């Protein structure tokens, strides 16, 4: 063993074969990094039932005394609802927590003061946080009365190692632009950890003033702390979001859970932002050039500016916060062969609230809300969220597919819950003209967003794989009597006319290659005489969204749709 092997990876250079851990294709280095980290930390208390979310368990004390704040420090505890990212910035390309005494991660006091300052009332800011003041004609610094001690873990549940390694895998280029190879990177974030925050004062304060101070801090927590708050990170269980809620949507959904690098399943709220961001890019790609579409998408959802003369972060206008109210987990088991059983984790969300947040008040609220509302309606009309969102859920619409027990689970299914039924696109008539009208509106919303940014539609992107433009997309629809009446679901697994098949073609895709067709069973809603929206019997609108390629199989399939009366063409009409 060389001397360098005795040095933990945490202290080694970010070089191949040493401390480089950001590549998710090799789980060994990052797993070793975490193991070595936890060896120097206090032991983890025995957990309760691991099927229960950590923040809902009865938390037992660590067998080793945890760090405490000093005398005179006021404290309060809060629990992260999903994950917290606090980047120490110490290692290039690695996002990992700031680590302090005993190896414990912590939220720094400087960050706490900054978050507090941003939401503190102007009349209290100088007194509490200090600042620059003029004294005898000179600028001088005046200290505030408060000291911010940051946040430290109240127990060791954050150290459940199977949850520490988080996965970041941007697939925007692969799904929207081209069939490119994308790589997953790792970051280390804290899952449902409980943090104790400390504040002290150099002046005696009464209980009412301390209550006011904690209310200000809770307002700061309501905007999320740490990094990636726009994707759902850094939100607290005990604190409601204080960001401006542009639109609050009640949802239910059923599908496949994502998996971490170590195969631990997880329901990941960042999937909502990923879907909405992708659709933003598709819509803008239909009315402008590639550079403009990408820049305006980043202005909405955040990102990194890639101008040659300036590489910097762009703080987006929008973010998401998701609260799961009734969420159950399960699994789908199948045997691809006699010697192997594969387990696919699933989720069943009966009720949840997705808040679409207005993080920066730069654009007109009316226009922004109209665009956001269109995005969420568009997302549920044509697809869903998370893994396998391009396909209908086969458990719901094709259960006999699994009769032999040798098939993997496919697809997802999402619906608006009762309080958000007004967001359904109605389909009162069999010609589905309301849906056709809504689809055409996509270009209007995208053009409106260009005009807000003082730009005009001048072209569309011809070489991206999914672009919302009459020359690039076709949408076909029909009425299905119930959840057993899908026609197209059988075409994905067999023939659609004689010996003609789209199975495993460039249209439907295959392993490591995304197809160019979406399939959706959308609940058919109509407006009653009382003005309410209600599902018509148990009917669905079956929708096929196709971004045609040049393959013979795709052309033959489109000719089939044109010559039969099984589906009606609904896609936007040419200008």
């Amino acid at each position: 063993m060389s001397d360098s092997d005795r040095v933990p990876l945490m202290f080694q250079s970010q070089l191949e074969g040493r401390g480089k851990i950001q590549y998710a294709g090799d789980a060994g280095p990052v797993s070793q990094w975490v193991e070595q980290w936890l060896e120097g930390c206090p032991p983890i208390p025995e957990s309760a039932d691991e099927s229960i979310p950590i923040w809902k368990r009865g938390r037992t004390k660590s067998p080793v005394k945890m760090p405490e704040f000093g005398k005179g420090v006021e404290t309060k505890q809060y629990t992260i609802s999903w994950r917290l990212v606090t980047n120490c910035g110490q290692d290039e390309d690695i996002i990992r927590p700031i680590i302090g005494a005993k190896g414990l991660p912590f939220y720094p006091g400087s960050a706490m003061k900054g978050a507090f300052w941003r939401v503190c009332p102007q009349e209290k800011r100088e007194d509490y946080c200090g600042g620059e003041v003029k004294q005898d004609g000179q600028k001088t610094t005046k200290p505030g009365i408060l000291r911010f001690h940051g946040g430290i873990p109240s127990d060791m549940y954050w150290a459940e190692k199977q949850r520490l390694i988080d996965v970041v895998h941007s697939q925007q280029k692969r799904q929207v632009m081209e069939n490119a190879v994308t790589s997953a990177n790792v970051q280390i974030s804290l899952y449902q950890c409980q943090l104790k925050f400390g504040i002290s004062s150099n002046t005696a304060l009464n209980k009412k003033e301390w209550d006011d101070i904690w209310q200000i801090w809770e307002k700061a927590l309501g905007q999320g702390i740490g990094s990636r708050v726009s994707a759902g990170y850094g939100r607290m269980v005990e604190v409601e979001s204080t960001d401006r809620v542009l639109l609050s949507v009640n949802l239910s959904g059923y599908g496949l859970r994502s998996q971490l690098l170590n195969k631990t399943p997880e329901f990941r709220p960042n999937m909502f932002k990923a879907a909405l961001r992708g659709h933003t890019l598709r819509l803008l790609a239909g009315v402008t050039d590639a550079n403009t579409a990408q820049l305006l998408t980043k202005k909405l959802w955040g990102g990194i500016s890639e101008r040659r003369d300036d590489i910097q972060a762009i703080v987006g206008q929008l973010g998401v916060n998701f609260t799961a109210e009734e969420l159950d987990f399960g699994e789908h088991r199948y045997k691809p062969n006699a010697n192997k059983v594969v387990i696919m984790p699933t989720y069943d969300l009966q009720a949840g609230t997705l808040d679409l947040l207005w993080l920066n008040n730069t654009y007109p609220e009316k226009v922004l809300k109209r665009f956001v509302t269109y995005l969420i309606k568009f997302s549920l009309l044509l697809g869903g969220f998370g893994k396998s969102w391009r396909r209908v859920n086969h458990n719901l619409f094709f259960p006999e597919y699994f009769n032999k027990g040798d098939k993997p689970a496919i697809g997802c299914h999402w619906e608006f819950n009762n309080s958000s039924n007004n967001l359904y696109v109605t389909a009162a008539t069999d010609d589905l003209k309301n849906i056709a009208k809504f689809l055409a509106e996509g270009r209007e919303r995208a053009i409106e967003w260009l005009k807000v940014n003082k730009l005009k539609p001048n072209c569309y992107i011809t070489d991206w794989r999914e672009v919302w433009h009459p020359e690039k997309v076709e949408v076909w629809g029909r009425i299905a009597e119930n959840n057993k009446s899908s026609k197209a679901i059988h075409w994905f697994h067999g023939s659609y006319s004689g010996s003609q098949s789209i199975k495993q073609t460039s249209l439907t895709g295959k392993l490591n290659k995304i197809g160019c067709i979406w399939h959706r069973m959308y609940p058919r809603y109509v407006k009653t005489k009382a003005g309410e929206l209600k599902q018509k019997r148990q009917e669905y609108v079956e929708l096929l969204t196709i971004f045609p390629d040049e393959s013979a199989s795709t052309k033959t399939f489109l000719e089939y749709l044109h010559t039969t009366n099984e589906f009606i063409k609904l896609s936007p009409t040419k200008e």
Side-chain angles (χ1 to χ4, degrees), residues 213-228:
I213 289 169
W214 284 112
Q215 284 180 10
I216 295 172
W217 176 237
E218 289 194 357
K219 185 176 180 182
L221 290 179
Q223 295 185 352
I225 60 172
S227 303
R228 301 192 169 180

Side-chain angles (χ1 to χ4, degrees), residues 87 116 138 194 338 361 392 424 465 556:
N87 187 14
F116 186 97
Q138 299 290 324
Q194 189 177 77
N361 302 347
V392 300
Y424 274 112
R465 61 187 309 278
T556 302

Side-chain angles (χ1 to χ4, degrees), residues 16 23 26 53 65 70 80 91 95-96 111 153 188 247 266 340 381 387 399 413 461 488 503 537 567 575:
E16 202 73 50
Y23 176 51
D26 182 3
K65 186 177 180 181
I80 296 292
D91 296 317
I95 296 178
R96 67 173 177 90
I188 297 173
L247 182 67
E266 185 170 291
K340 185 177 181 180
L381 175 66
K387 294 187 69 174
H413 183 71
I461 303 171
K503 183 179 179 180
R537 295 188 285 274
F567 281 79
E575 295 179 344

Side-chain angles (χ1 to χ4, degrees), residues 365-435:
E365 180 178 2
K366 184 177 180 181
V367 178
L368 187 60
K369 185 171 183 178
R370 187 156 54 229
F371 191 70
V372 167
T373 303
Y374 187 86
L375 280 177
I376 194 70
K377 293 169 73 172
F378 182 92
S379 299
L380 263 80
L381 175 66
L382 298 178
F385 303 104
K387 294 187 69 174
S388 202
W389 66 266
R390 285 174 164 81
R391 296 288 181 270
V392 300
N393 186 275
H394 283 43
N395 282 303
L396 298 177
F397 299 103
F398 191 17
E400 56 269 31
Y401 179 70
F402 304 107
N403 285 347
K404 294 182 180 180
D406 61 347
K407 297 292 193 298
I410 300 174
C412 67
H413 183 71
W414 286 83
E415 296 186 5
F416 293 113
N417 278 354
N418 290 337
S419 57
S420 293
N421 278 357
N422 62 309
L423 294 173
Y424 274 112
V425 181
T426 59
T429 57
D430 290 349
D431 61 5
L432 305 177
K433 64 179 181 181
N434 280 6
I435 291 179

Side-chain angles (χ1 to χ4, degrees), residues 57 88 237 250 298 322 377 401 409 441 477-478 501-502 527 557:
R57 301 178 195 169
C88 71
V237 171
N250 297 111
K298 290 172 183 176
F322 181 75
K377 293 169 73 172
Y401 179 70
E441 187 186 337
R478 61 177 287 272
S501 176
I502 57 174
K527 187 174 288 188
F557 180 67

Side-chain angles (χ1 to χ4, degrees), residues 500-531:
Q500 298 291 344
S501 176
I502 57 174
K503 183 179 179 180
Q504 292 193 339
T505 63
S506 60
L507 180 65
T508 55
K510 48 189 172 183
L511 186 64
N512 296 324
K513 185 175 177 62
I514 296 175
C516 29
I517 184 171
W518 308 347
H519 182 207
R520 175 74 161 117
M521 292 287 280
Y522 186 73
R524 185 187 184 188
Y525 269 71
V526 297
K527 187 174 288 188
T528 65
K529 291 182 179 179

Side-chain angles (χ1 to χ4, degrees), residues 1-9 11-12 36:
M1 177 184 292
S2 66
D3 289 341
S4 64
D5 291 332
R6 302 176 188 275
V7 179
L9 292 180
F11 304 106
Q12 293 190 28
Q36 292 172 346

